[in-house]
Amino acid sequence: MKKSLILLFTLLFSTFLTKAQSNLPVVGFCIAAPSVENVEEFVEFINNELAPSGINTLILRVDFNYDYKLRPELSDENPLSYNDVKSLVKVCKKNNINLIPQVNLLGHQSWENTLGKLLTVYPEFDETPHIKLPENYKWPNSDGLYCKSYCPMHPKVHEVVFDLVDEIVEVFEAKDFHAGMDEVFYLGNKNCPRCSDKDPAELFAGEVKLLSNHLKKNNIKLWIWGDRLIEGEISGIGMWEGSLNNTAKAIELIPKNVVICDWHYEKAIPTPAYFSLKGFNVISCSWRKPSVANEQVKMIQNFRNNSPSEMSDNLLGVMHTSWTSAKNFMDSYKVEKTLIQEDSREVECFKEMVKSVKKLSSKSDKF
């Protein structure tokens, strides 16, 4: 009888311990890669702030801020050098941080009234060349112009794209690559001679598959934002964090090894469960609301605790996304209140995410 009670207690204790543990595989931070003059400061920021905060995944939005050798015509002015990147790689390796480069592909090829580097150098890749960037950008507008896209059906676009991807993955010594692919509003445009009659979901899925298969040759995993895979009308999620341009069914067509970064900035919408149920690894992402970051941490942990392993293993963790410069974020991090209020809110949100993750960990440490 005594042995039976001991065995029962052991089983119950083990079950409770399993339920209490957080141990999120991913506690991430996503931000623009630093400018050349801020690399050294950012290296120290990784060492002194990000690593001690428990960040184990760092996505740097590089885009054209690198001195590309294969496609030098696409490098920004005064871009990061090979040695700059290697200093970032070194500090991340030292702190066991998975460093992931991002280059925005498909969408986000312009911003307001400024054309991005890819379409500036290769205007023939433009999905909507008939839509001109206005001198004074306003949203909404009659063209539905948010950001331009490249046409995924152009016969030469991937020669260029793959050169960028291959070089940036190699210099970052990366095992993962983030392709962006959020907020793609121009896709299968009626005026495009190549894809006007194509299903937007199939076009989107085709681009994801092409990128994933290319990366897979070198054992690199593709990460993307998740908004184009969420039906936005029936769900009420809308056109930004979800899709109203018929791309959502692409979720049934893309490879299951793609990692989904599921961003929701106003509420902790429980779509990670949806992606997990579909068989995808997923990360819940916050931006500027501390309460959302806190709820996302609790939500992911709750899903992990109460799902079968086939689903819980897909729920990787949480990530803070910053949409200011690395310099602005670091400056705001040092000072609690700043004149740049948006940046200050981002920092508060980041700190809340870190605090919430540590709170979960401290609970598990008690057992």
Side-chain angles (χ1 to χ4, degrees), residues 95-154:
N95 290 288
N96 296 313
I97 294 173
N98 181 19
L99 180 59
I100 304 174
Q102 177 183 326
V103 177
N104 271 315
L105 299 181
L106 194 57
H108 277 279
Q109 301 303 321
S110 70
W111 182 249
E112 295 188 346
N113 60 355
T114 303
L115 197 61
K117 197 75 173 184
L118 181 67
L119 297 188
T120 298
V121 177
Y122 297 101
E124 64 271 26
F125 296 164
D126 193 343
E127 169 82 1
T128 54
H130 60 287
I131 295 177
K132 307 303 179 184
L133 298 182
E135 185 174 340
N136 297 306
Y137 177 85
K138 292 182 180 180
W139 178 267
N141 55 73
S142 59
D143 290 322
L145 171 64
Y146 179 57
C147 296
K148 280 188 170 266
S149 307
Y150 65 68
C151 175
M153 299 294 289
H154 193 284

Side-chain angles (χ1 to χ4, degrees), residues 38-228:
N38 300 132
V39 169
E40 186 175 340
E41 182 183 0
F42 194 70
V43 166
E44 291 303 308
F45 186 69
I46 294 171
N47 246 332
N48 300 331
E49 302 296 344
L50 295 186
S53 294
I55 297 301
N56 60 24
T57 303
L58 176 60
I59 297 175
L60 291 183
R61 297 191 303 276
V62 180
D63 294 322
F64 306 104
N65 181 23
Y66 178 66
D67 185 18
Y68 290 102
K69 303 305 180 186
L70 293 177
R71 296 286 175 173
E73 71 276 15
L74 291 176
S75 295
D76 287 336
E77 290 185 17
N78 196 28
L80 296 174
S81 68
Y82 177 90
N83 288 335
D84 289 330
V85 171
K86 288 305 180 184
S87 67
L88 295 168
V89 171
K90 182 179 179 180
V91 70
C92 286
K93 282 186 175 181
K94 171 190 169 185
N95 290 288
N96 296 313
I97 294 173
N98 181 19
L99 180 59
I100 304 174
Q102 177 183 326
V103 177
N104 271 315
L105 299 181
L106 194 57
H108 277 279
Q109 301 303 321
S110 70
W111 182 249
E112 295 188 346
N113 60 355
T114 303
L115 197 61
K117 197 75 173 184
L118 181 67
L119 297 188
T120 298
V121 177
Y122 297 101
E124 64 271 26
F125 296 164
D126 193 343
E127 169 82 1
T128 54
H130 60 287
I131 295 177
K132 307 303 179 184
L133 298 182
E135 185 174 340
N136 297 306
Y137 177 85
K138 292 182 180 180
W139 178 267
N141 55 73
S142 59
D143 290 322
L145 171 64
Y146 179 57
C147 296
K148 280 188 170 266
S149 307
Y150 65 68
C151 175
M153 299 294 289
H154 193 284
K156 294 186 177 181
V157 69
H158 294 106
E159 295 176 20
V160 177
V161 166
F162 287 164
D163 280 348
L164 295 178
V165 171
D166 291 346
E167 185 169 355
I168 209 67
V169 164
E170 182 177 359
V171 70
F172 272 80
E173 302 177 34
K175 59 183 180 181
D176 302 287
F177 170 79
H178 202 304
M181 302 188 73
D182 58 318
E183 300 169 332
V184 181
F185 295 160
Y186 286 163
L187 191 61
N189 186 271
K190 64 181 181 180
N191 292 306
C192 179
R194 293 169 295 273
C195 61
S196 60
D197 60 342
K198 303 293 190 299
D199 183 335
E202 293 182 0
L203 286 170
F204 188 86
E207 188 68 2
V208 173
K209 284 190 283 189
L210 196 65
L211 293 168
S212 179
N213 290 340
H214 179 77
L215 290 163
K216 191 176 180 181
K217 295 174 186 176
N218 292 310
N219 297 314
I220 309 297
K221 186 171 288 189
L222 176 65
W223 294 37
I224 63 172
W225 303 113
D227 53 279
R228 293 306 91 191

